[in-house]
């Protein structure tokens, strides 16, 4: 009996060692406040609030980059040893979402962020989720714009007007090397597509649709790409985690561990292939735009000033 008592005592001591603490903690759900655009970006059937991530291989992603990156984030944290439950804080503005995370209103945005938008004094920065030149967009217009769709040389695009959001500095940095005719009246891709239908603009930049012909649609508006040309952004994108948030370091370490495994086992590529981001059809298409990276945005300095 004494031997059994001693064995139990030794086992208890071993389980209480610091190296085993995190394993015990992973049995509990950890609630994480996540910055996100409007609730409509995440379909209702997708539950990210119960400590268990949706099955990546059985989840319909479509062309929804936000859902794709939430799946990546959730699964990476699981592989890193956590049981995450996301609590979304909805904000319509990209820079505001970053600002809220910097001030620990939220733990992190639920999507990846351009490297030049990140203040390393305020955020833990993950390894690249998309490396330089991996984020690619096509030249999209409507099917009846036959003249634009017949273009064979990139310099011909300078005669056509593009619609964009004035705050999308990374897109706009590339656009200035494509055409001088820039219209910034629209705030989102659906409104941009409507401007093209109304002939107030000729084309827009948009990630390639995951379809055999690369065609897609926004609600009732069909879009088709200009064949043979693309824009590949010369900048990496990362997850960021607030250094001010009390759960920041634990989440960052779990995230890094999980992302490495997702890279290694091919899951990361699988997800982006499902959305159309990694598309072998456009691999050899001509790259348009500028070679230089955009200047650091106001978000990096403005975030620090707003504290």
């Amino acid at each position: 009996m004494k031997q059994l008592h001693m064995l139990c005592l030794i086992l208890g001591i071993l389980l209480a060692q610091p190296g085993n603490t995190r394993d015990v903690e992973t049995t509990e759900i950890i609630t994480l406040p996540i910055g996100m655009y409007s609730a409509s970006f995440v379909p209702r059937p997708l539950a990210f609030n119960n400590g268990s991530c949706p099955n990546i291989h059985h989840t319909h992603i479509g062309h929804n980059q936000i859902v794709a990156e939430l799946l990546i984030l959730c699964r990476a944290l699981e592989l890193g040893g956590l049981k995450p439950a996301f609590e979304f804080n909805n904000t319509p503005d990209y820079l505001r979402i970053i600002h809220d995370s910097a001030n620990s209103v939220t733990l992190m945005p639920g999507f990846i962020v351009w490297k030049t938008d990140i203040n390393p004094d305020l955020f833990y920065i993950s390894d690249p989720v998309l490396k330089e030149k991996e984020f690619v967009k096509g030249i999209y217009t409507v099917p009846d714009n036959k003249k634009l769709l017949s273009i064979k040389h990139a310099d011909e695009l300078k005669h056509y007007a593009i619609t964009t959001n004035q705050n999308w500095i990374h897109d706009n940095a590339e656009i200035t090397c494509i055409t001088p005719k820039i219209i910034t009246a629209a705030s989102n891709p659906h409104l941009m597509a409507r401007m093209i239908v109304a002939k107030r603009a000729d084309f827009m930049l948009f990630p390639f649709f995951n379809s055999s012909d690369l065609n897609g649609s926004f609600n009732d508006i069909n879009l088709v790409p200009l064949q043979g040309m693309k824009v590949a952004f010369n900048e990496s994108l990362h997850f960021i985690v607030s250094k001010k948030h009390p759960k920041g370091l634990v989440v960052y370490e779990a995230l890094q561990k999980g992302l490495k495994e997702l890279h290694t086992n091919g899951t990361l590529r699988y997800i982006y292939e499902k959305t159309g981001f990694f598309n072998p059809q456009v691999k050899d298409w001509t790259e348009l735009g500028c070679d230089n990276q955009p200047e650091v945005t106001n978000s990096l300095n403005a975030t620090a000033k707003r504290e």
Side-chain angles (χ1 to χ4, degrees):
M1 182 65 71
K2 288 183 178 180
Q3 289 178 332
L4 179 61
H5 178 74
M6 182 63 69
L7 182 61
C8 291
L9 181 61
I10 293 171
L11 182 61
I13 292 173
L14 289 173
L15 289 174
Q17 292 301 307
N20 295 296
T21 302
R22 183 166 292 180
D23 291 338
V24 175
E25 291 176 349
T26 57
T27 62
E28 299 179 0
I29 294 175
I30 179 170
T31 301
L32 307 176
I34 302 294
M36 182 49 59
Y37 298 112
S38 70
S40 63
F41 277 82
V42 183
R44 287 185 181 180
L46 280 182
F48 289 94
N49 61 354
N50 57 11
S52 178
C53 302
N55 187 305
I56 287 174
H57 295 278
H58 297 154
T59 300
H60 176 70
I61 300 175
H63 200 63
N64 193 326
Q65 182 185 353
I66 296 298
V67 169
E69 287 164 6
L70 281 173
L71 286 170
I72 292 169
L73 174 59
C74 192
R75 185 60 181 140
L77 293 177
E78 268 191 339
L79 291 172
L82 302 180
K83 296 184 68 176
F86 293 165
E87 188 176 80
F88 294 116
N89 181 41
N90 300 120
T91 306
D93 182 67
Y94 168 80
L95 294 183
R96 183 69 197 185
I97 291 172
I98 296 174
H99 172 251
D100 284 348
S101 294
N103 288 328
S104 75
V105 174
T106 59
L107 172 72
M108 63 186 297
F111 47 81
I112 55 177
V113 172
W114 296 101
K115 185 176 181 180
T116 49
D117 290 345
I118 306 169
N119 186 334
D121 294 330
L122 303 176
F123 292 105
Y124 298 111
I125 306 170
S126 80
D127 292 337
V129 178
L130 289 176
K131 300 175 183 177
E132 294 176 2
K133 299 290 186 177
E134 286 188 333
F135 186 50
V136 178
K137 290 188 176 185
I139 308 294
Y140 273 90
T141 188
V142 290
D144 64 357
N145 195 339
K146 305 297 184 182
K147 190 174 180 181
L148 185 145
L149 291 171
S150 67
I151 284 177
K152 300 300 180 183
H153 302 286
D155 60 355
E156 295 179 69
L157 281 170
K158 66 185 179 183
H159 302 297
Y160 295 86
I162 187 171
T163 174
T164 183
N165 183 320
Q166 64 181 354
N167 296 321
W168 293 1
I169 68 154
H170 302 84
D171 283 48
N172 297 338
E174 302 295 334
I175 287 169
T176 57
C177 297
I178 298 173
T179 178
K181 298 182 177 183
I182 303 171
I183 301 172
T184 58
S187 59
N188 61 65
H190 184 242
L191 291 178
M192 293 173 195
R194 289 177 62 182
M195 288 186 68
I196 295 172
V197 170
K199 301 188 184 305
R200 294 177 58 198
D202 297 298
F203 68 99
M204 60 189 284
L205 296 185
F206 196 73
F208 288 103
F209 290 95
N210 187 19
S211 59
S212 59
D213 56 8
L214 305 177
N215 296 350
S217 63
F218 281 119
N219 298 333
D220 58 336
I221 302 175
N222 295 323
L223 295 173
V224 297
L226 173 62
Q227 296 292 310
M229 300 182 198
K230 65 183 180 181
V231 173
F233 293 87
N234 191 30
E235 186 173 349
S236 57
L237 292 103
H238 309 251
F239 283 115
I240 56 175
V241 183
S242 173
K243 288 186 175 181
K244 282 187 176 182
H245 198 281
K247 297 175 183 175
L249 182 58
V250 171
V251 168
Y252 170 69
E253 290 176 345
L255 176 62
Q256 284 286 79
K257 179 181 177 182
L259 283 176
K260 283 181 172 63
E261 186 165 341
L262 291 177
H263 271 293
T264 302
N265 64 23
T267 300
L268 205 61
R269 173 161 288 276
Y270 169 80
I271 291 177
Y272 279 115
E273 284 177 348
K274 286 185 72 173
T275 63
F277 272 67
F278 293 159
N279 196 315
Q281 295 185 68
V282 304
K283 180 181 178 182
D284 297 321
W285 285 17
T286 301
E287 289 186 12
L288 308 181
C290 310
D291 291 330
N292 60 301
Q293 293 187 2
E295 295 180 1
V296 175
T297 69
N298 289 336
S299 65
L300 192 153
N301 295 321
T303 300
K305 291 177 181 177
R306 289 175 184 168
E307 293 179 30

